Amino acid sequence: MMTAALRLTGIDMHYGYVRALTGIDFHVQPGEVVGLLGDNGAGKSTLLKIMSGAHRPSGGTVEVHGRKVELHEPSDAARAGVQMVYQDLALVDAQDIATNLNIGREILRRGPLGWLGFVDHKAMRRRSEAELDRLGVRTAPMTRPVEMLSGGQRQVVALARSAIRVAGAGQGVLLLDEPTAALGYEQTKQVEALIRRMAAEGVAIVLVTHNLPLCHEVADRVVILNRGVKVADVRLDETENDHIVGWITGARPSQFVTRQEIS
């Protein structure tokens, strides 16, 4: 059996007396796209923050490629090969595309200028173009500032930046938080194509979205939360849209016996 790229077991999250998550088991395989669904307040954003290292769970374990990890902060997740693309994209608007793609891995000039920290912008543009070509991504010229891009182009740049850092069969996990929010039809199609291309390269992808058509376009499986409890974990080709909506709203019974029912 293939080792999961990311596995969470028995995840609990408490805020004082409030239980945000109870006994959540979750996994995603290399090259798989899993939609993480639920209504507002279901706990999906909290679970995503635990995966990304932004929150530490009250209980449970996290494994990346079969190795137990302690994610105390987002940098721990990044070192383990888990990248998060936030809704606000975290791009530097005044900088160009190449600079945004290379934040944290800048290429320095050779010789004394490099020792002084001078960046080789031409080399970064060449590397960025090659990496985007490999991903099959077409955006604006590398020298264009991000603030001059459309919403779809900005989303593609943010996705590509994270994809570059986790690229390689089975080498990384990409967490996407509402990647098509506020995008038009054509821009959404751009993002869908990039998600499919990254999955084909072996990247494991967790997709949090309210957009069920997007989920049906790109996801292999969905995990559904309701009031902090996992109520469904099913392949999309083995279920119906009405069932998914029923689990999200609570109209359909959970697939699982919950801890509260046992007690």
Side-chain angles (χ1 to χ4, degrees), residues 188-189 192 209-219 236 241:
T188 297
K189 288 300 178 184
E192 288 175 3
T209 184
H210 286 92
N211 186 340
L212 289 184
L214 169 68
C215 210
H216 282 286
E217 283 292 331
V218 301
L236 276 171
N241 197 64

Side-chain angles (χ1 to χ4, degrees), residues 1-81:
M1 184 176 177
M2 184 185 296
T3 300
L6 175 68
R7 182 180 297 277
L8 285 72
T9 305
I11 295 295
D12 291 331
M13 189 69 193
H14 304 159
Y15 298 101
Y17 292 105
V18 177
R19 285 179 174 266
L21 297 171
T22 301
I24 302 295
D25 294 335
F26 179 95
H27 74 279
V28 56
Q29 301 287 359
E32 184 182 31
V33 181
V34 176
L36 181 57
L37 308 180
D39 208 347
N40 292 332
K44 57 189 185 299
S45 293
T46 300
L47 189 61
L48 201 67
K49 288 175 181 176
I50 289 171
M51 296 178 192
S52 70
H55 284 179
R56 293 183 64 183
S58 305
T61 60
V62 179
E63 297 177 21
V64 179
H65 295 294
R67 183 174 61 88
K68 185 177 177 181
V69 294
E70 296 284 346
L71 305 180
H72 299 288
E73 54 190 26
S75 60
D76 294 333
R79 281 190 292 270

